[in-house]
PDB file of all heavy atoms in Angstrom:
ATOM      1  N   GLY A  10      -5.492 -13.976  -3.056  1.00 98.00           N
ATOM      2  CA  GLY A  10      -4.344 -13.075  -3.183  1.00 98.00           C
ATOM      3  C   GLY A  10      -3.272 -13.409  -2.163  1.00 98.00           C
ATOM      4  O   GLY A  10      -3.546 -13.475  -0.963  1.00 98.00           O
ATOM      5  N   GLY A  12      -0.365 -11.569  -1.930  1.00 98.00           N
ATOM      6  CA  GLY A  12       0.496 -10.398  -1.729  1.00 98.00           C
ATOM      7  C   GLY A  12       0.617 -10.097  -0.234  1.00 98.00           C
ATOM      8  O   GLY A  12       0.254 -10.933   0.602  1.00 98.00           O
ATOM      9  N   PRO A  13       1.103  -8.899   0.108  1.00 99.00           N
ATOM     10  CA  PRO A  13       1.303  -8.586   1.533  1.00 99.00           C
ATOM     11  C   PRO A  13       0.029  -8.727   2.376  1.00 99.00           C
ATOM     12  O   PRO A  13       0.073  -9.266   3.483  1.00 99.00           O
ATOM     13  CB  PRO A  13       1.778  -7.125   1.501  1.00 99.00           C
ATOM     14  CG  PRO A  13       2.391  -6.961   0.159  1.00 99.00           C
ATOM     15  CD  PRO A  13       1.639  -7.843  -0.775  1.00 99.00           C
ATOM     16  N   ALA A  14      -1.132  -8.278   1.852  1.00 99.00           N
ATOM     17  CA  ALA A  14      -2.367  -8.369   2.646  1.00 99.00           C
ATOM     18  C   ALA A  14      -2.766  -9.831   2.842  1.00 99.00           C
ATOM     19  O   ALA A  14      -3.092 -10.255   3.960  1.00 99.00           O
ATOM     20  CB  ALA A  14      -3.494  -7.603   1.951  1.00 99.00           C
ATOM     21  N   ASP A  35      -3.862 -17.754  -5.472  1.00 98.00           N
ATOM     22  CA  ASP A  35      -3.291 -16.629  -6.243  1.00 98.00           C
ATOM     23  C   ASP A  35      -3.206 -17.034  -7.704  1.00 98.00           C
ATOM     24  O   ASP A  35      -2.885 -18.185  -8.019  1.00 98.00           O
ATOM     25  CB  ASP A  35      -1.916 -16.214  -5.713  1.00 98.00           C
ATOM     26  CG  ASP A  35      -1.599 -14.775  -6.120  1.00 98.00           C
ATOM     27  OD1 ASP A  35      -1.440 -14.515  -7.350  1.00 98.00           O
ATOM     28  OD2 ASP A  35      -1.525 -13.894  -5.244  1.00 98.00           O
ATOM     29  N   ARG A  36      -3.478 -16.056  -8.563  1.00 98.00           N
ATOM     30  CA  ARG A  36      -3.455 -16.348 -10.004  1.00 98.00           C
ATOM     31  C   ARG A  36      -2.027 -16.481 -10.519  1.00 98.00           C
ATOM     32  O   ARG A  36      -1.803 -17.002 -11.613  1.00 98.00           O
ATOM     33  CB  ARG A  36      -4.198 -15.254 -10.769  1.00 98.00           C
ATOM     34  CG  ARG A  36      -3.519 -13.917 -10.717  1.00 98.00           C
ATOM     35  CD  ARG A  36      -4.277 -12.861 -11.487  1.00 98.00           C
ATOM     36  NE  ARG A  36      -3.661 -11.562 -11.250  1.00 98.00           N
ATOM     37  CZ  ARG A  36      -4.240 -10.402 -11.448  1.00 98.00           C
ATOM     38  NH1 ARG A  36      -5.475 -10.370 -11.906  1.00 98.00           N
ATOM     39  NH2 ARG A  36      -3.612  -9.276 -11.207  1.00 98.00           N
ATOM     40  N   ARG A  41       6.651 -13.478  -8.140  1.00 98.00           N
ATOM     41  CA  ARG A  41       6.036 -12.704  -9.224  1.00 98.00           C
ATOM     42  C   ARG A  41       6.321 -11.224  -8.977  1.00 98.00           C
ATOM     43  O   ARG A  41       6.493 -10.794  -7.851  1.00 98.00           O
ATOM     44  CB  ARG A  41       4.532 -12.974  -9.296  1.00 98.00           C
ATOM     45  CG  ARG A  41       3.736 -12.645  -8.020  1.00 98.00           C
ATOM     46  CD  ARG A  41       2.977 -11.342  -8.136  1.00 98.00           C
ATOM     47  NE  ARG A  41       2.201 -10.997  -6.964  1.00 98.00           N
ATOM     48  CZ  ARG A  41       2.657 -10.301  -5.937  1.00 98.00           C
ATOM     49  NH1 ARG A  41       3.917  -9.918  -5.892  1.00 98.00           N
ATOM     50  NH2 ARG A  41       1.855  -9.978  -4.942  1.00 98.00           N
ATOM     51  N   LYS A  43       5.416  -7.186  -8.837  1.00 98.00           N
ATOM     52  CA  LYS A  43       4.249  -6.346  -8.529  1.00 98.00           C
ATOM     53  C   LYS A  43       4.697  -4.915  -8.787  1.00 98.00           C
ATOM     54  O   LYS A  43       5.731  -4.489  -8.249  1.00 98.00           O
ATOM     55  CB  LYS A  43       3.822  -6.546  -7.073  1.00 98.00           C
ATOM     56  CG  LYS A  43       3.005  -5.406  -6.462  1.00 98.00           C
ATOM     57  CD  LYS A  43       1.590  -5.347  -7.003  1.00 98.00           C
ATOM     58  CE  LYS A  43       0.767  -4.237  -6.363  1.00 98.00           C
ATOM     59  NZ  LYS A  43       0.967  -2.901  -6.986  1.00 98.00           N
ATOM     60  N   VAL A  44       3.969  -4.180  -9.582  1.00 98.00           N
ATOM     61  CA  VAL A  44       4.345  -2.791  -9.884  1.00 98.00           C
ATOM     62  C   VAL A  44       4.250  -1.980  -8.600  1.00 98.00           C
ATOM     63  O   VAL A  44       3.176  -1.868  -8.004  1.00 98.00           O
ATOM     64  CB  VAL A  44       3.406  -2.199 -10.956  1.00 98.00           C
ATOM     65  CG1 VAL A  44       3.785  -0.756 -11.237  1.00 98.00           C
ATOM     66  CG2 VAL A  44       3.464  -3.028 -12.216  1.00 98.00           C
ATOM     67  N   CYS A  45       5.373  -1.412  -8.173  1.00 98.00           N
ATOM     68  CA  CYS A  45       5.437  -0.764  -6.856  1.00 98.00           C
ATOM     69  C   CYS A  45       6.702   0.080  -6.795  1.00 98.00           C
ATOM     70  O   CYS A  45       7.604  -0.087  -7.623  1.00 98.00           O
ATOM     71  CB  CYS A  45       5.473  -1.854  -5.774  1.00 98.00           C
ATOM     72  SG  CYS A  45       5.342  -1.235  -4.072  1.00 98.00           S
ATOM     73  N   GLY A  46       6.800   0.971  -5.807  1.00 98.00           N
ATOM     74  CA  GLY A  46       8.030   1.708  -5.565  1.00 98.00           C
ATOM     75  C   GLY A  46       9.021   0.901  -4.739  1.00 98.00           C
ATOM     76  O   GLY A  46      10.162   1.319  -4.552  1.00 98.00           O
ATOM     77  N   ASP A  47       8.555  -0.222  -4.183  1.00 98.00           N
ATOM     78  CA  ASP A  47       9.396  -1.134  -3.385  1.00 98.00           C
ATOM     79  C   ASP A  47       9.818  -0.543  -2.030  1.00 98.00           C
ATOM     80  O   ASP A  47      10.685  -1.119  -1.356  1.00 98.00           O
ATOM     81  CB  ASP A  47      10.664  -1.580  -4.145  1.00 98.00           C
ATOM     82  CG  ASP A  47      10.361  -2.304  -5.448  1.00 98.00           C
ATOM     83  OD1 ASP A  47       9.255  -2.872  -5.578  1.00 98.00           O
ATOM     84  OD2 ASP A  47      11.235  -2.298  -6.343  1.00 98.00           O
ATOM     85  N   GLY A  48       9.258   0.599  -1.643  1.00 98.00           N
ATOM     86  CA  GLY A  48       9.601   1.201  -0.352  1.00 98.00           C
ATOM     87  C   GLY A  48       8.744   0.578   0.750  1.00 98.00           C
ATOM     88  O   GLY A  48       7.518   0.523   0.618  1.00 98.00           O
ATOM     89  N   ARG A 100       9.650  -6.028  -5.070  1.00 98.00           N
ATOM     90  CA  ARG A 100       8.487  -6.810  -4.634  1.00 98.00           C
ATOM     91  C   ARG A 100       8.555  -8.262  -5.093  1.00 98.00           C
ATOM     92  O   ARG A 100       7.986  -9.147  -4.442  1.00 98.00           O
ATOM     93  CB  ARG A 100       7.211  -6.126  -5.123  1.00 98.00           C
ATOM     94  CG  ARG A 100       6.932  -4.780  -4.465  1.00 98.00           C
ATOM     95  CD  ARG A 100       6.475  -4.940  -3.030  1.00 98.00           C
ATOM     96  NE  ARG A 100       5.251  -5.710  -2.949  1.00 98.00           N
ATOM     97  CZ  ARG A 100       4.027  -5.236  -3.113  1.00 98.00           C
ATOM     98  NH1 ARG A 100       3.867  -3.947  -3.319  1.00 98.00           N
ATOM     99  NH2 ARG A 100       2.967  -6.008  -3.011  1.00 98.00           N
ATOM    100  N   HIS A 121      -4.624 -20.355  -8.739  1.00 98.00           N
ATOM    101  CA  HIS A 121      -6.020 -20.396  -9.203  1.00 98.00           C
ATOM    102  C   HIS A 121      -6.484 -18.963  -9.463  1.00 98.00           C
ATOM    103  O   HIS A 121      -6.305 -18.090  -8.613  1.00 98.00           O
ATOM    104  CB  HIS A 121      -6.891 -21.038  -8.103  1.00 98.00           C
ATOM    105  CG  HIS A 121      -8.344 -21.102  -8.462  1.00 98.00           C
ATOM    106  ND1 HIS A 121      -8.923 -22.221  -9.035  1.00 98.00           N
ATOM    107  CD2 HIS A 121      -9.335 -20.183  -8.357  1.00 98.00           C
ATOM    108  CE1 HIS A 121     -10.212 -21.985  -9.245  1.00 98.00           C
ATOM    109  NE2 HIS A 121     -10.486 -20.748  -8.847  1.00 98.00           N
ATOM    110  N   VAL A 122      -7.068 -18.715 -10.612  1.00 98.00           N
ATOM    111  CA  VAL A 122      -7.620 -17.382 -10.914  1.00 98.00           C
ATOM    112  C   VAL A 122      -9.070 -17.363 -10.435  1.00 98.00           C
ATOM    113  O   VAL A 122      -9.904 -18.103 -10.967  1.00 98.00           O
ATOM    114  CB  VAL A 122      -7.594 -17.098 -12.434  1.00 98.00           C
ATOM    115  CG1 VAL A 122      -8.103 -15.678 -12.716  1.00 98.00           C
ATOM    116  CG2 VAL A 122      -6.210 -17.297 -12.993  1.00 98.00           C
ATOM    117  N   VAL A 123      -9.374 -16.554  -9.443  1.00 98.00           N
ATOM    118  CA  VAL A 123     -10.744 -16.483  -8.935  1.00 98.00           C
ATOM    119  C   VAL A 123     -11.582 -15.608  -9.865  1.00 98.00           C
ATOM    120  O   VAL A 123     -11.174 -14.494 -10.230  1.00 98.00           O
ATOM    121  CB  VAL A 123     -10.759 -15.927  -7.490  1.00 98.00           C
ATOM    122  CG1 VAL A 123     -12.185 -15.650  -7.029  1.00 98.00           C
ATOM    123  CG2 VAL A 123     -10.073 -16.899  -6.554  1.00 98.00           C
ATOM    124  N   ALA A 147      -8.030 -10.279  -0.789  1.00 99.00           N
ATOM    125  CA  ALA A 147      -6.754  -9.548  -0.699  1.00 99.00           C
ATOM    126  C   ALA A 147      -6.162  -9.541  -2.105  1.00 99.00           C
ATOM    127  O   ALA A 147      -4.973  -9.732  -2.297  1.00 99.00           O
ATOM    128  CB  ALA A 147      -5.827 -10.237   0.305  1.00 99.00           C
ATOM    129  N   ASP A 148      -7.057  -9.331  -3.078  1.00 98.00           N
ATOM    130  CA  ASP A 148      -6.684  -9.508  -4.481  1.00 98.00           C
ATOM    131  C   ASP A 148      -6.417  -8.195  -5.207  1.00 98.00           C
ATOM    132  O   ASP A 148      -6.602  -8.089  -6.414  1.00 98.00           O
ATOM    133  CB  ASP A 148      -7.724 -10.356  -5.226  1.00 98.00           C
ATOM    134  CG  ASP A 148      -9.170  -9.910  -5.014  1.00 98.00           C
ATOM    135  OD1 ASP A 148      -9.431  -9.174  -4.053  1.00 98.00           O
ATOM    136  OD2 ASP A 148     -10.040 -10.297  -5.810  1.00 98.00           O
ATOM    137  N   GLY A 149      -5.964  -7.202  -4.433  1.00 98.00           N
ATOM    138  CA  GLY A 149      -5.366  -6.028  -5.047  1.00 98.00           C
ATOM    139  C   GLY A 149      -6.331  -5.013  -5.637  1.00 98.00           C
ATOM    140  O   GLY A 149      -7.540  -5.040  -5.405  1.00 98.00           O
ATOM    141  N   VAL A 153     -11.587  -8.803  -7.668  1.00 98.00           N
ATOM    142  CA  VAL A 153     -12.771  -9.545  -8.111  1.00 98.00           C
ATOM    143  C   VAL A 153     -13.730  -9.745  -6.926  1.00 98.00           C
ATOM    144  O   VAL A 153     -14.949  -9.697  -7.078  1.00 98.00           O
ATOM    145  CB  VAL A 153     -12.319 -10.924  -8.662  1.00 98.00           C
ATOM    146  CG1 VAL A 153     -13.493 -11.853  -8.884  1.00 98.00           C
ATOM    147  CG2 VAL A 153     -11.539 -10.748  -9.947  1.00 98.00           C
ATOM    148  N   ALA A 171       0.320   5.105 -11.574  1.00 98.00           N
ATOM    149  CA  ALA A 171       1.756   5.403 -11.526  1.00 98.00           C
ATOM    150  C   ALA A 171       2.506   4.412 -12.388  1.00 98.00           C
ATOM    151  O   ALA A 171       2.086   3.265 -12.563  1.00 98.00           O
ATOM    152  CB  ALA A 171       2.264   5.346 -10.083  1.00 98.00           C
ATOM    153  N   PHE A 202      13.957   5.405  -5.274  1.00 98.00           N
ATOM    154  CA  PHE A 202      14.223   4.652  -4.044  1.00 98.00           C
ATOM    155  C   PHE A 202      15.391   3.696  -4.321  1.00 98.00           C
ATOM    156  O   PHE A 202      15.271   2.785  -5.156  1.00 98.00           O
ATOM    157  CB  PHE A 202      12.983   3.847  -3.611  1.00 98.00           C
ATOM    158  CG  PHE A 202      11.793   4.675  -3.177  1.00 98.00           C
ATOM    159  CD1 PHE A 202      10.558   4.067  -2.976  1.00 98.00           C
ATOM    160  CD2 PHE A 202      11.894   6.038  -2.936  1.00 98.00           C
ATOM    161  CE1 PHE A 202       9.448   4.801  -2.556  1.00 98.00           C
ATOM    162  CE2 PHE A 202      10.795   6.788  -2.526  1.00 98.00           C
ATOM    163  CZ  PHE A 202       9.566   6.172  -2.342  1.00 98.00           C
ATOM    164  N   HIS A 245       0.373   0.862 -13.003  1.00 98.00           N
ATOM    165  CA  HIS A 245      -0.662   0.177 -12.216  1.00 98.00           C
ATOM    166  C   HIS A 245      -1.462   1.241 -11.477  1.00 98.00           C
ATOM    167  O   HIS A 245      -0.984   2.335 -11.249  1.00 98.00           O
ATOM    168  CB  HIS A 245       0.018  -0.752 -11.212  1.00 98.00           C
ATOM    169  CG  HIS A 245      -0.861  -1.849 -10.696  1.00 98.00           C
ATOM    170  ND1 HIS A 245      -1.183  -2.951 -11.429  1.00 98.00           N
ATOM    171  CD2 HIS A 245      -1.471  -2.011  -9.496  1.00 98.00           C
ATOM    172  CE1 HIS A 245      -1.949  -3.758 -10.708  1.00 98.00           C
ATOM    173  NE2 HIS A 245      -2.148  -3.200  -9.531  1.00 98.00           N
ATOM    174  N   LEU A 247      -3.697   2.851  -8.195  1.00 98.00           N
ATOM    175  CA  LEU A 247      -3.630   2.888  -6.727  1.00 98.00           C
ATOM    176  C   LEU A 247      -4.953   3.411  -6.175  1.00 98.00           C
ATOM    177  O   LEU A 247      -5.235   4.620  -6.259  1.00 98.00           O
ATOM    178  CB  LEU A 247      -2.508   3.817  -6.243  1.00 98.00           C
ATOM    179  CG  LEU A 247      -1.059   3.503  -6.615  1.00 98.00           C
ATOM    180  CD1 LEU A 247      -0.684   4.135  -7.954  1.00 98.00           C
ATOM    181  CD2 LEU A 247      -0.104   4.009  -5.540  1.00 98.00           C
ATOM    182  N   GLY A 265      -6.163  -4.605   2.312  1.00 98.00           N
ATOM    183  CA  GLY A 265      -5.159  -4.013   1.420  1.00 98.00           C
ATOM    184  C   GLY A 265      -5.788  -3.195   0.300  1.00 98.00           C
ATOM    185  O   GLY A 265      -6.808  -2.511   0.498  1.00 98.00           O
ATOM    186  N   ASP A 266      -5.207  -3.272  -0.901  1.00 98.00           N
ATOM    187  CA  ASP A 266      -5.699  -2.471  -2.028  1.00 98.00           C
ATOM    188  C   ASP A 266      -7.158  -2.791  -2.360  1.00 98.00           C
ATOM    189  O   ASP A 266      -7.893  -1.921  -2.844  1.00 98.00           O
ATOM    190  CB  ASP A 266      -4.851  -2.725  -3.282  1.00 98.00           C
ATOM    191  CG  ASP A 266      -3.510  -2.011  -3.249  1.00 98.00           C
ATOM    192  OD1 ASP A 266      -3.156  -1.456  -2.186  1.00 98.00           O
ATOM    193  OD2 ASP A 266      -2.813  -2.009  -4.277  1.00 98.00           O
ATOM    194  N   ILE A 271      -4.742   2.818   0.485  1.00 98.00           N
ATOM    195  CA  ILE A 271      -3.472   3.407   0.042  1.00 98.00           C
ATOM    196  C   ILE A 271      -3.450   4.865   0.490  1.00 98.00           C
ATOM    197  O   ILE A 271      -4.442   5.587   0.325  1.00 98.00           O
ATOM    198  CB  ILE A 271      -3.285   3.305  -1.486  1.00 98.00           C
ATOM    199  CG1 ILE A 271      -3.154   1.827  -1.903  1.00 98.00           C
ATOM    200  CG2 ILE A 271      -2.075   4.092  -1.940  1.00 98.00           C
ATOM    201  CD1 ILE A 271      -2.683   1.599  -3.323  1.00 98.00           C
ATOM    202  N   GLY A 276       1.007   7.367  -1.619  1.00 97.00           N
ATOM    203  CA  GLY A 276       0.900   6.109  -2.375  1.00 97.00           C
ATOM    204  C   GLY A 276       1.372   4.906  -1.589  1.00 97.00           C
ATOM    205  O   GLY A 276       1.438   3.795  -2.117  1.00 97.00           O
ATOM    206  N   GLU A 277       1.704   5.094  -0.306  1.00 97.00           N
ATOM    207  CA  GLU A 277       2.106   3.965   0.544  1.00 97.00           C
ATOM    208  C   GLU A 277       0.925   3.037   0.729  1.00 97.00           C
ATOM    209  O   GLU A 277      -0.167   3.482   1.055  1.00 97.00           O
ATOM    210  CB  GLU A 277       2.592   4.491   1.903  1.00 97.00           C
ATOM    211  CG  GLU A 277       3.325   3.480   2.762  1.00 97.00           C
ATOM    212  CD  GLU A 277       2.462   2.389   3.393  1.00 97.00           C
ATOM    213  OE1 GLU A 277       1.244   2.608   3.593  1.00 97.00           O
ATOM    214  OE2 GLU A 277       2.988   1.303   3.663  1.00 97.00           O
ATOM    215  N   GLY A 278       1.156   1.710   0.548  1.00 98.00           N
ATOM    216  CA  GLY A 278       0.060   0.778   0.761  1.00 98.00           C
ATOM    217  C   GLY A 278       0.471  -0.511   1.450  1.00 98.00           C
ATOM    218  O   GLY A 278      -0.383  -1.289   1.863  1.00 98.00           O
ATOM    219  N   ILE A 279       1.776  -0.747   1.599  1.00 98.00           N
ATOM    220  CA  ILE A 279       2.213  -2.042   2.150  1.00 98.00           C
ATOM    221  C   ILE A 279       1.946  -2.110   3.659  1.00 98.00           C
ATOM    222  O   ILE A 279       1.499  -3.144   4.170  1.00 98.00           O
ATOM    223  CB  ILE A 279       3.702  -2.299   1.818  1.00 98.00           C
ATOM    224  CG1 ILE A 279       3.884  -2.373   0.296  1.00 98.00           C
ATOM    225  CG2 ILE A 279       4.183  -3.597   2.462  1.00 98.00           C
ATOM    226  CD1 ILE A 279       5.321  -2.430  -0.171  1.00 98.00           C
ATOM    227  N   ALA A 282      -1.624  -2.739   3.992  1.00 99.00           N
ATOM    228  CA  ALA A 282      -1.968  -4.088   3.509  1.00 99.00           C
ATOM    229  C   ALA A 282      -1.676  -5.126   4.586  1.00 99.00           C
ATOM    230  O   ALA A 282      -2.524  -5.979   4.887  1.00 99.00           O
ATOM    231  CB  ALA A 282      -1.203  -4.403   2.224  1.00 99.00           C
TER     232      ALA A 282
HETATM  233  C1  FAD B 401       3.551   2.333  -9.074  1.00 58.95           C
HETATM  234  C2  FAD B 401       3.244   2.030  -7.643  1.00 58.95           C
HETATM  235  C3  FAD B 401       4.169   2.361  -6.663  1.00 58.95           C
HETATM  236  C4  FAD B 401       3.905   2.028  -5.322  1.00 58.95           C
HETATM  237  N1  FAD B 401       4.891   2.260  -4.397  1.00 58.95           N
HETATM  238  C5  FAD B 401       4.711   1.867  -3.129  1.00 58.95           C
HETATM  239  C6  FAD B 401       5.772   1.963  -2.191  1.00 58.95           C
HETATM  240  O1  FAD B 401       6.911   2.348  -2.508  1.00 58.95           O
HETATM  241  N2  FAD B 401       5.520   1.585  -0.919  1.00 58.95           N
HETATM  242  C7  FAD B 401       4.299   1.106  -0.527  1.00 58.95           C
HETATM  243  O2  FAD B 401       4.118   0.795   0.657  1.00 58.95           O
HETATM  244  N3  FAD B 401       3.283   0.945  -1.419  1.00 58.95           N
HETATM  245  C8  FAD B 401       3.464   1.297  -2.708  1.00 58.95           C
HETATM  246  N4  FAD B 401       2.462   1.098  -3.614  1.00 58.95           N
HETATM  247  C9  FAD B 401       1.206   0.437  -3.169  1.00 58.95           C
HETATM  248  C10 FAD B 401       1.449  -1.072  -2.969  1.00 58.95           C
HETATM  249  O3  FAD B 401       2.021  -1.622  -4.136  1.00 58.95           O
HETATM  250  C11 FAD B 401       0.106  -1.769  -2.667  1.00 58.95           C
HETATM  251  O4  FAD B 401      -0.587  -1.029  -1.706  1.00 58.95           O
HETATM  252  C12 FAD B 401       0.323  -3.191  -2.138  1.00 58.95           C
HETATM  253  O5  FAD B 401       0.891  -4.023  -3.110  1.00 58.95           O
HETATM  254  C13 FAD B 401      -1.018  -3.792  -1.673  1.00 58.95           C
HETATM  255  O6  FAD B 401      -0.848  -5.140  -1.316  1.00 58.95           O
HETATM  256  P1  FAD B 401      -2.067  -6.167  -1.515  1.00 58.95           P
HETATM  257  O7  FAD B 401      -1.604  -7.444  -0.906  1.00 58.95           O
HETATM  258  O8  FAD B 401      -3.327  -5.541  -1.085  1.00 58.95           O
HETATM  259  O9  FAD B 401      -2.213  -6.337  -3.105  1.00 58.95           O
HETATM  260  P2  FAD B 401      -1.179  -6.901  -4.195  1.00 58.95           P
HETATM  261  O10 FAD B 401       0.214  -6.699  -3.741  1.00 58.95           O
HETATM  262  O11 FAD B 401      -1.606  -6.304  -5.486  1.00 58.95           O
HETATM  263  O12 FAD B 401      -1.452  -8.475  -4.215  1.00 58.95           O
HETATM  264  C14 FAD B 401      -2.653  -8.977  -4.762  1.00 58.95           C
HETATM  265  C15 FAD B 401      -2.446 -10.437  -5.141  1.00 58.95           C
HETATM  266  O13 FAD B 401      -3.715 -10.949  -5.598  1.00 58.95           O
HETATM  267  C16 FAD B 401      -3.518 -11.762  -6.739  1.00 58.95           C
HETATM  268  N5  FAD B 401      -4.772 -11.730  -7.508  1.00 58.95           N
HETATM  269  C17 FAD B 401      -5.349 -10.665  -8.091  1.00 58.95           C
HETATM  270  N6  FAD B 401      -6.510 -11.011  -8.671  1.00 58.95           N
HETATM  271  C18 FAD B 401      -6.658 -12.343  -8.457  1.00 58.95           C
HETATM  272  C19 FAD B 401      -7.656 -13.299  -8.815  1.00 58.95           C
HETATM  273  N7  FAD B 401      -8.744 -12.932  -9.510  1.00 58.95           N
HETATM  274  N8  FAD B 401      -7.488 -14.578  -8.430  1.00 58.95           N
HETATM  275  C20 FAD B 401      -6.408 -14.954  -7.704  1.00 58.95           C
HETATM  276  N9  FAD B 401      -5.426 -14.095  -7.348  1.00 58.95           N
HETATM  277  C21 FAD B 401      -5.554 -12.811  -7.699  1.00 58.95           C
HETATM  278  C22 FAD B 401      -2.339 -11.111  -7.466  1.00 58.95           C
HETATM  279  O14 FAD B 401      -1.662 -12.041  -8.303  1.00 58.95           O
HETATM  280  C23 FAD B 401      -1.471 -10.639  -6.298  1.00 58.95           C
HETATM  281  O15 FAD B 401      -0.489 -11.586  -5.941  1.00 58.95           O
HETATM  282  C24 FAD B 401       2.687   1.414  -4.951  1.00 58.95           C
HETATM  283  C25 FAD B 401       1.746   1.109  -5.948  1.00 58.95           C
HETATM  284  C26 FAD B 401       2.025   1.393  -7.274  1.00 58.95           C
HETATM  285  C27 FAD B 401       1.024   1.006  -8.332  1.00 58.95           C
END
Side-chain angles (χ1 to χ4, degrees):
D35 202 294
R36 67 180 173 199
R41 59 103 179 89
K43 158 73 178 83
V44 179
C45 187
D47 301 336
R100 293 287 300 277
H121 179 95
V122 183
V123 171
D148 49 342
V153 169
F202 293 170
H245 201 76
L247 298 88
D266 283 9
I271 294 192
E277 193 287 335
I279 298 172

